Amino acid sequence: MDPTATISENANIYQVYKRGAVGRSIDITRYSCYDELEQDLARRFGIEGQLEDRGRIGWKLVYVDHENDVLLVGDNPWE
């Protein structure tokens, strides 16, 4: 798989990891949409401008759901 950021659930606090980097803890309730989440993660991991182009090969924002399936962030509606 291409380099990814993954999210693992623990209440409203999530551990976010970038391949090859130290993880960060975030409070998901701070964000009101995927765009805000994406921009903050890009800033935290120093990859600004690299998550916006969906057709480009490179960084992809994904998460692991409760069934251990890897899904792209943004494929499901923000709740």
Side-chain angles (χ1 to χ4, degrees):
M1 188 178 284
D2 290 323
T4 58
T6 60
I7 303 174
S8 57
E9 183 178 358
N10 181 6
N12 288 328
I13 305 297
Y14 290 75
Q15 290 296 313
V16 181
Y17 298 92
K18 177 182 146 196
R19 186 176 288 172
V22 176
R24 311 281 197 288
S25 294
I26 61 166
D27 179 355
I28 201 75
T29 61
R30 289 185 49 216
Y31 310 100
S32 62
C33 64
Y34 285 120
D35 286 338
E36 287 180 13
L37 172 65
E38 198 171 271
Q39 288 173 3
D40 188 46
L41 291 176
R43 181 189 57 77
R44 288 176 185 239
F45 288 107
I47 56 172
E48 293 91 347
Q50 298 180 40
L51 292 174
E52 288 83 7
D53 187 357
R54 301 270 187 233
R56 207 173 111 208
I57 296 173
W59 297 110
K60 298 197 184 329
L61 199 56
V62 301
Y63 68 98
V64 179
D65 70 4
H66 63 281
E67 296 175 346
N68 286 327
D69 293 326
V70 177
L71 305 166
L72 285 172
V73 168
D75 280 355
N76 293 316
W78 182 268
E79 296 179 3

